[in-house]
Amino acid sequence: MSITMGDPARSDTGVPERMRFYPKQLIHAADLNDEQAYHRQKLREHNRFLHGWGVVCGCDVRAVPSDEHPWRVRIGPGYLLTPQGDAVSIRADVTFNLANCLLASADPCAFARPCPPVSRRTLADDTVYLAIRYTECETRPVHTAPTGCSCSGAACQYTRIRDAYEICCLSALPKTHAPVRPDCDEIFKAGITECPSCPDDPWVVLATVRVPRSPRTPIDEVDPLSHRRSLHSTALLKDMVSCLSEGG
């Protein structure tokens, strides 16, 4: 018989469970998918609790207007962790048109979120936030054998799931990006540290863009730093400590 875990993050007992394999066990596709889901959820928790979230490196955003696309920007390669613990890797330059949310990239993992065109008539003010989130796409379809005695109507199944990302222009800054000054006294005070909750908002802001009054006016005000949340790698933190030690 087959043993399944259900939702690996929310089992019947509320505790994550992983598969236990034994000789002559009958394994179904759901069992293998649950095994993957368990480890993916554990990795998300590891990222959220141990590292936090933000842009680790790269993801530079620059205006690259043209006569045909005056509101076009380019996003460079980079790596980031989302508020929900998913890792996003941008492997090639991405051009994104803020006027109609059209995206172009050699990276097969890049997607643009369907959204209405951004114009002066749809914006409450002249600022938009270019943001990114994790998503998935199914790839490599194959025909599956028909069930029963039928010889026609073979179904199609995807054999791979590709880690991808989705880019969108937001009209409001996500609540997760609200500036919060750390309480230094609380940080260094001896006591029990509370675990952070998992945010509902998956977006990570890459840049703040000032939109011109006319859709025919090229964009020239792109700020990739003001609302960007940076996440320093352990290697970079080590270098920072070394610099501070040498400076002291």
Side-chain angles (χ1 to χ4, degrees):
M1 63 179 295
S2 172
I3 298 178
T4 59
M5 300 185 299
D7 185 345
R10 298 180 182 178
S11 62
D12 294 338
T13 61
V15 179
E17 298 174 349
R18 68 178 185 272
M19 286 291 299
R20 177 187 177 275
F21 300 103
Y22 55 86
K24 300 182 180 181
Q25 180 182 7
L26 179 62
I27 303 296
H28 289 178
D31 299 317
L32 300 177
N33 289 332
D34 284 347
E35 180 72 5
Q36 286 190 4
Y38 168 84
H39 291 287
R40 287 175 56 80
Q41 183 62 24
K42 296 290 285 186
L43 180 58
R44 290 189 186 99
E45 292 179 349
H46 171 91
N47 289 338
R48 288 199 304 110
F49 292 141
L50 195 61
H51 301 296
W53 63 274
V55 178
V56 179
C57 59
C59 303
D60 188 22
V61 181
R62 297 180 182 272
V64 287
S66 65
D67 293 338
E68 186 178 359
H69 304 293
W71 286 14
R72 188 175 61 183
V73 297
R74 183 183 65 221
I75 305 165
Y79 185 85
L80 59 100
L81 294 180
T82 71
Q84 297 174 345
D86 291 299
V88 173
S89 180
I90 304 176
R91 303 181 185 277
D93 283 345
V94 177
T95 58
F96 186 80
N97 190 352
L98 294 172
N100 53 21
C101 295
L102 292 181
L103 177 148
S105 174
D107 189 346
C109 299
F111 293 90
R113 183 184 186 187
C115 59
V118 176
S119 67
R120 298 298 307 176
R121 290 175 294 179
T122 60
L123 285 176
D125 54 32
D126 57 358
T127 301
V128 295
Y129 303 94
L130 188 66
I132 188 172
R133 71 174 179 179
Y134 172 84
T135 189
E136 296 177 343
C137 67
E138 296 176 329
T139 62
R140 301 193 189 184
V142 297
H143 288 293
T144 58
T147 58
C149 299
S150 174
C151 297
S152 61
C156 183
Q157 289 284 354
Y158 291 94
T159 62
R160 299 290 189 276
I161 297 177
R162 178 180 295 161
D163 291 332
Y165 54 88
E166 187 177 21
I167 296 174
C168 184
C169 42
L170 306 177
S171 59
L173 190 67
K175 294 181 179 179
T176 51
H177 289 69
V180 178
R181 294 184 63 86
D183 188 339
C184 297
D185 293 335
E186 188 68 23
I187 290 175
F188 291 103
K189 183 175 66 176
I192 297 176
T193 302
E194 294 185 2
C195 294
S197 59
C198 183
D200 294 329
D201 199 320
W203 296 102
V204 177
V205 171
L206 299 180
T208 305
V209 183
R210 185 79 67 177
V211 178
R213 290 183 176 274
S214 170
R216 292 184 293 273
T217 302
I219 285 179
D220 60 359
E221 295 187 48
V222 177
D223 180 3
L225 298 177
S226 292
H227 295 103
R228 172 178 292 213
R229 176 163 173 156
S230 296
L231 179 62
H232 300 311
S233 66
T234 303
L236 181 57
L237 291 175
K238 181 180 178 181
D239 291 341
M240 288 180 175
V241 172
S242 298
C243 292
L244 292 174
S245 300
E246 293 174 0

